[in-house]
Structures are given as structure tokens and as C-alpha cells.
């Protein structure tokens, strides 16, 4: 008589998630009555899976025909035999305890002989998951995919609040060797509708969102398309407000900051462009430089040299013209420079005329005609001074004129160089006649004029009459005695100089 020694190898501890096993490896040794192995003999084995107990209902029965090897060992896979009853893949392993019943015979002989019944101490995980997960709302496998459709999943926590919740102080590590921006993603957030706004939120202990990273295509669908990535933070009311916005979908984008201030601390540098690509900085708001900080403009090594002396602002060029422009394009408004020391204000302004004022009172003015006034609102000469002129050292020169004169009213047309007299009866000025009161000689200009008013040099009712200094005169209207010059009635008025001018005494 042959004896059978069963050896059951349930390889439930080896699970490959890439390929779920659907059979159980089983081996037994067949020995003869003398204890020796039955070698190279065909054997039939009937395997039954019983549910509930050793005498329970058979939910699956299959049959195997195998040859023993030189040691009497027969090997087969439960689940891969000829099915006699039920389907191995339909066994619900998690519903109750299961037992395995093994019967055997030599191939072609009579009835099977019972070898024994054993309980499955542990059910292979893959079988349990495959056949009970769907019915018990657990993890399910579809080919290489593993999924869960019921409730939330917790890792290191038994109170998951979201689809996947990690316990306190838990971490996720993701690694990659990808070197391309387009294929190197380790997390993908996708919007499956045009109005979706997927994001990552940072929440406080109450679950309120305080910071959000998001990207979307529409600000308001479908009327306002505004594709961008944004960083939002909660305001004082707890509402998320976008602070930093970076558009996408364009070759060049404008990064926007809203309801926020950008601060660079600890001496960091804010740089726009490089020497080869300067870029452009545009400001549509106030710009303030605090404390003793300075501003430098130009091609100077500002980081090393700084501004000159105590200058808060310096415009520098190493080898070119430099200018500072304050421009009113309309040409109707005042432009200027305001200097304030304590409560004292000096201003330099330009509104057609250039003026320097102190406490809103003009003290110096240059008109568009080139006239200069000192303490004069409307200068009428190249230099118009309201007050004294003091020359503490050196000399004061009057050049370009002829002597000292005044504009006097006249009754007739006079020419430059005419000798002027006053009619003693009428008091009117005229070309000198015998018996007149001598007044001077007419000139086109004088070094000093005592009573000038704008426009008098062109007014035919006035003549500029010089009474002192050097002047050219019509000598035919005078008498000469050597170098002495006198009127036609003998009144001495001066001397004739070598340059042809008369020096009036």
C-alpha cells in the first residue's frame, strides 16, 4: 500500500502588486508501505475547499494528475486543476473560515482515499482583496491599478478628514531623475472643466485656509479669461485674496502684485536688467527712499564708490553731457526746484520767466527776453535792481553806452549828436538856439539812464539826452576854440578828445 505525506505551502506572504497570484502551490510525498518513495508514478489528487468547518460545504472542487519525481514528490497548484465544482476565483475568503481537503489515488484506479483536512490558518491577501474588497468597500485591483471608492484614507491616523490624510508629523517623499520641465512633474493638479480652479491650501488647526497656490484659465467663466498662477493669502476677514499673479500662455508675461507690499530686507539687492540687457522700470505710484539712503544715476560703480560727499542724489557720466530735466509738456504750469531749510523756503521756478524766490516773494528774475531783475517783478532792462548796488572792492564798469543821460520830452524830431537846449520861455526842448538853456547832446544809448521806462527808446516824444561823459556830437552845432567846446552863444560845455568825442563836464 502506498502512503501519502502531504506538505502544504501557502505562499501568502509573497505578494506581487504588479501581478496578483490566483493559485496556491501544494506539494506532497508519496511513499510505499515499506516507507520508500513511489518514484515516477502517475497520481490523481482531488482538492476540495470547505467553508465554515471540516465538514462544511465544498465551495470549490478540482482534480490534478501529476507524476512523482525520484523522491516521490508530487507538486501542483491549487486553483489550476480541472474544475469539478465551483470557481476558484469566486471564493469569498473573508466571509468565513476555510478548510482544504485532499484525496488521492493512483491514476486509473478506483475510489479516492482521504489524505486529510486542514484549516487555512491565514487567507492569502491577494485572494482576499480580489474577492472581498468590492463587497466590503475595500481596496480593489484592476490590472496594475489599485483603487478605493468608499470614504477617506488615513496614514498614521484613524480619523482621515480628506480623501488622503496623513497623521501629525508624517511626511511624503517624492524623488525623480527627470531633467525636463515638461516631463519632470512629481505632482499633477488638473482642471477638468474650464471654470475649475485647482489649488494647494495651507490651513490652520480649525481647517480654515490661510494660504492657497492655484492655477486656472478663467477669472469668471466664460466672460473673463485670465490664465494665471496665483498665490493668495487670507485677509483680515479670513477671505483668500490673490497677492502674486503670474500669467501663462504668452511668450512674455507681466507678474502682478496686488494688495501687498514687496520688501527686500537684510541688505538684499533688487536689480532690473543687466549691462547688456538693461530692461525697464516703470513706476505709477510714489517712490520713497528712507533715512540716509541715497540714489545714484549713471555709469558709476555705485556699489563701490557711492554718491559724492553727502549727496542724496547724484547724476553721473564718465564722459558725456549730463542734465536734469523737469518738464511741463503743456507749457502752462510752473516747474521748479524747492529748497527747504527748517521752515525757510527757497524756490527756483520756471513759467516762461525764471525766478528765484524766498517765502513766495521773488527776489531774482530773468525774463524770456533776457532781462534780469533783482527785487523787481517786471525787469525792464538787462539788469533792473530795486535797491543799492555795493561794490566792496574792485571796480564797477558801465560799458556799451555814452555817459549819463535821461529821457526828456521833446517837441520836434531830433537826431543823434544834436545839441539840445530848452526854450526859456516855453520850457520845451529843441535843437539848441542862441539864448536857450543848454541841456546836453542826444544819443542812442547811454552808460547810465536815470529815468528809463520800457519802450521809451522807440517813443518819438522822448529823446535820450546825455549831460555827462564821453559822447559824439554834431560839431557844426558847436564852437571850438582849440580843444575847448562851447555852445553857439559861448557857454563852455566840455573838451574835444583825441578820439573825436566830446567829454562833457
Amino acid at each position: 500500500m502506498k502512503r501519502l505525506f502531504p506538505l502544504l505551502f501557502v505562499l501568502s506572504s509573497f505578494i506581487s502588486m504588479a501581478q496578483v497570484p490566483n493559485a496556491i502551490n501544494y506539494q506532497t510525498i508519496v511513499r510505499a508501505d515499506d516507507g520508500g518513495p513511489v518514484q515516477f508514478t502517475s497520481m490523481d489528487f482531488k482538492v476540495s475547499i470547505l467553508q465554515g468547518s471540516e465538514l462544511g460545504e465544498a465551495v470549490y472542487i478540482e482534480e490534478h494528475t501529476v507524476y512523482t519525481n525520484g523522491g516521490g514528490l508530487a507538486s501542483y497548484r491549487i486553483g489550476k486543476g480541472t474544475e469539478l465544482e465551483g470557481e476558484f476565483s469566486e471564493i469569498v475568503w473573508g466571509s468565513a473560515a476555510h478548510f482544504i481537503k485532499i484525496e488521492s489515488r493512483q491514476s486509473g484506479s478506483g475510489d479516492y482515499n482521504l489524505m486529510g483536512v486542514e484549516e487555512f490558518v491565514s487567507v492569502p491577501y491577494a485572494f482576499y482583496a480580489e474577492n472581498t474588497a468590492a463587497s466590503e468597500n475595500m481596496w480593489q485591483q484592476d490590472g496594475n491599478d489599485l483603487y478605493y471608492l468608499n470614504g477617506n484614507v488615513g496614514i498614521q491616523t484613524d480619523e482621515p478628514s480628506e480623501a488622503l490624510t496623513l497623521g501629525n508629523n508624517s511626511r511624503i517623499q517624492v524623488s525623480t531623475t527627470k531633467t525636463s520641465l515638461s516631463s519632470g512633474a512629481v505632482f499633477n493638479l488638473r482642471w477638468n472643466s474650464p471654470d475649475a480652479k485647482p489649488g494647494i491650501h495651507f490651513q490652520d488647526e480649525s481647517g480654515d485656509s490661510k494660504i492657497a497656490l492655484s492655477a486656472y484659465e478663467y477669472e469668471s467663466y466664460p466672460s473673463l479669461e485670465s490664465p494665471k498662477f496665483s498665490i493668495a493669502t487670507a485677509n483680515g476677514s479670513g477671505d483668500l485674496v490673490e497677492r502674486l499673479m503670474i500669467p501663462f500662455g504668452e511668450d512674455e508675461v507681466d507678474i502682478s502684485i496686488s494688495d501687498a507690499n514687496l520688501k527686500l530686507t537684510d541688505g538684499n539687492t533688487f536689480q532690473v536688467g543687466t549691462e547688456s540687457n538693461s530692461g525697464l522700470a516703470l513706476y505709477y505710484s510714489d517712490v520713497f527712499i528712507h533715512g540716509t539712503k541715497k540714489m545714484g544715476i549713471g555709469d558709476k560703480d555705485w556699489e563701490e564708490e557711492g554718491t559724492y560727499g553727502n549727496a542724496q542724489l547724484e547724476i553721473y557720466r564718465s564722459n558725456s553731457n549730463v542734465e536734469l530735466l523737469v518738464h511741463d509738456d503743456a507749457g502752462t504750469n510752473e516747474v521748479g526746484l524747492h529748497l527747504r531749510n527748517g521752515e525757510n523756503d527757497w524756490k527756483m521756478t520756471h513759467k516762461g520767466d525764471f525766478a528765484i524766490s524766498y517765502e513766495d516773494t521773488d527776489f531774482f528774475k530773468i525774463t524770456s527776453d533776457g532781462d534780469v531783475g533783482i527785487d523787481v517783478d517786471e525787469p525792464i532792462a538787462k539788469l533792473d535792481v530795486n535797491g543799492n548796488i555795493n561794490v566792496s572792492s574792485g571796480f564797477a564798469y558801465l560799458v556799451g553806452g555814452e555817459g549819463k543821460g535821461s529821457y526828456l520830452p521833446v517837441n520836434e524830431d531830433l537826431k543823434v549828436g544834436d545839441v539840445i537846449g530848452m526854450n526859456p520861455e516855453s520850457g520845451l526842448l529843441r535843437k539848441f538856439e542862441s539864448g536857450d538853456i543848454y541841456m546836453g547832446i542826444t544819443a542812442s544809448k547811454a552808460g547810465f539812464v536815470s529815468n528809463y521806462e520800457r519802450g521809451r527808446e522807440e517813443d518819438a516824444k522822448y529823446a535820450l539826452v546825455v549831460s555827462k561823459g564821453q559822447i559824439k556830437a554834431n560839431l557844426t552845432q558847436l564852437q571850438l576854440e582849440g580843444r575847448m567846446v562851447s555852445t553857439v552863444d559861448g557857454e563852455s560845455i566840455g573838451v574835444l578828445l583825441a578820439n573825436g568825442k566830446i567829454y562833457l563836464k
Side-chain angles (χ1 to χ4, degrees), residues 375-391:
D375 198 18
V376 175
D377 288 337
E378 299 293 336
I380 59 174
K382 292 305 177 186
L383 178 61
D384 193 344
V385 179
N386 178 23
N388 299 323
I389 298 177
N390 179 41
V391 180

Side-chain angles (χ1 to χ4, degrees), residues 11-72:
L11 304 179
S12 61
S13 62
F14 180 75
I15 302 298
S16 171
M17 298 308 294
Q19 183 176 0
V20 177
N22 56 3
I24 302 172
N25 291 328
Y26 188 88
Q27 293 180 319
T28 185
I29 296 176
V30 183
R31 296 185 183 276
D33 291 340
D34 60 5
V38 177
Q39 300 175 322
F40 309 112
T41 303
S42 177
M43 298 293 298
D44 295 334
F45 296 91
K46 183 164 70 171
V47 180
S48 301
I49 304 297
L50 310 179
Q51 181 175 296
S53 68
E54 295 180 359
L55 301 177
E57 176 186 0
V59 294
Y60 177 73
I61 302 174
E62 69 176 15
E63 189 175 58
H64 294 266
T65 299
V66 297
Y67 278 85
T68 60
N69 63 13

Side-chain angles (χ1 to χ4, degrees), residues 271-280:
Q271 179 174 326
V272 178
T274 63
E275 286 197 24
S276 60
N277 186 5
S278 60
L280 186 64

